[in-house]
Amino acid sequence: MTKANVAMSCHVCKTGTLKAVEGYERFPQVTSDCKIWRGKNRLCVCPSCGSVQKMMSPAWKKSAEKIYSAYTIYHQSNGVEQAVFDKHSGAAFTRSGRILEF
C-alpha cells in the first residue's frame, strides 16, 4: 500500500509530515454511532510516533459536521449504553463509566 506525504503535522506528537494511506477512501466507513458513511476522508499515519489519524481537511470538517448534526447515540439499543462486565466479579458497568475509571 503506497503512502503519499500530506503537508500536515501529527495531532499527537506535532512532528513530521503525515503519510496518507492510499486507497482508504474506497473502503466502506462507519460513524461512531454505527451508521454507514460514504465520506471520502483520508486516513494518515505519523512516521514519527506511529499514530493513526484522520486528515483534518475542509472535507473532513464538513463530514464531521454532517455526522454530528444527525448523531443518534445508542440508537441500536433504544438509547441504552453498552454494558461491559468485570472479568473477576461479573458485575455490569456502563462502557463510558468504565473508561472514566481507567
Side-chain angles (χ1 to χ4, degrees):
M1 194 176 293
T2 310
K3 296 179 183 178
N5 288 339
V6 176
M8 180 179 225
S9 62
C10 176
H11 306 310
V12 177
C13 71
K14 309 291 185 212
T15 62
T17 299
L18 297 176
K19 301 274 186 185
V21 178
E22 295 301 322
Y24 169 79
E25 64 279 357
R26 292 190 309 262
F27 289 99
Q29 298 176 36
V30 178
T31 63
S32 60
D33 61 345
C34 302
K35 295 177 186 170
I36 294 172
W37 183 250
R38 306 219 187 280
K40 299 295 181 191
N41 298 314
R42 297 186 75 185
L43 187 68
C44 300
V45 178
C46 176
S48 298
C49 73
S51 176
V52 177
Q53 53 204 274
K54 295 283 179 81
M55 185 173 80
M56 294 176 79
S57 65
W60 177 87
K61 289 178 183 179
K62 187 175 180 178
S63 289
E65 186 176 293
K66 283 184 180 181
I67 290 166
Y68 289 106
S69 69
Y71 196 83
T72 49
I73 194 164
Y74 313 123
H75 69 94
Q76 294 174 316
S77 61
N78 294 322
V80 178
E81 185 176 0
Q82 175 184 352
V84 294
F85 300 91
D86 184 86
K87 64 182 177 182
H88 301 293
S89 70
F93 298 92
T94 62
R95 183 176 178 271
S96 61
R98 204 60 167 165
I99 290 169
L100 287 171
E101 284 180 22
F102 289 116

